[in-house]
Amino acid sequence: MSVEEDQRAIRCLVAKVGLDGHDRGAHVISRAFRDAGFEVIYSGLHNAPDEIVQAAVQEDVDVLGISILSGAHNTLVPKVVAGLKEYGAFEDTLIILGGVIPEKDQPGLRDAGVDAIFGPGTPMSETIEFVRENAPDR
């Protein structure tokens, strides 16, 4: 068995939080992650922050990708981060955010614990490479 085969696939939860019903981007990134060899779990639509936290903890994910287009990112994302901290899962979970996130909101989200923010038009290869380089070693 090669070293590559011996390594566990990067586990990713692609999550839609809140009332945002736009899921095309979440489906596209889920497929791209799967094609890159990641193990992908998709949350489906309309999840509360605590449901996302529960899924991330129960699935023991390496990466939590939150897709949000509703404009509620400053409210919902910190709740997810707080939940991960409460369960002791924050330190070993890479948190990435995708969607239309205004520049003025990005520093606060990073300060809250988001590792990277990818806006519309970001090449899939850039997101995949970021995950490969930054996902926690397990």
Side-chain angles (χ1 to χ4, degrees), residues 46-81:
H46 310 302
N47 293 281
D50 61 316
E51 292 173 309
I52 299 304
V53 170
Q54 289 297 319
V57 170
Q58 290 172 8
E59 294 290 347
D60 192 26
V61 298
D62 304 305
V63 180
L64 172 57
I66 302 171
S67 171
I68 190 161
L69 296 162
S70 67
H73 47 270
N74 287 331
T75 302
L76 297 173
V77 173
K79 288 180 180 181
V80 172
V81 171

Side-chain angles (χ1 to χ4, degrees), residues 8-69:
R8 179 173 75 84
I10 296 171
R11 292 176 59 89
C12 303
L13 172 62
V14 176
K16 294 293 296 180
V17 65
L19 300 177
D20 181 0
H22 300 89
D23 64 348
R24 184 173 183 274
H27 285 283
V28 169
I29 198 68
S30 293
R31 275 192 303 277
F33 280 1
R34 182 201 64 212
D35 292 348
F38 302 162
E39 184 177 337
V40 180
I41 301 125
Y42 174 59
S43 72
L45 292 170
H46 310 302
N47 293 281
D50 61 316
E51 292 173 309
I52 299 304
V53 170
Q54 289 297 319
V57 170
Q58 290 172 8
E59 294 290 347
D60 192 26
V61 298
D62 304 305
V63 180
L64 172 57
I66 302 171
S67 171
I68 190 161
L69 296 162

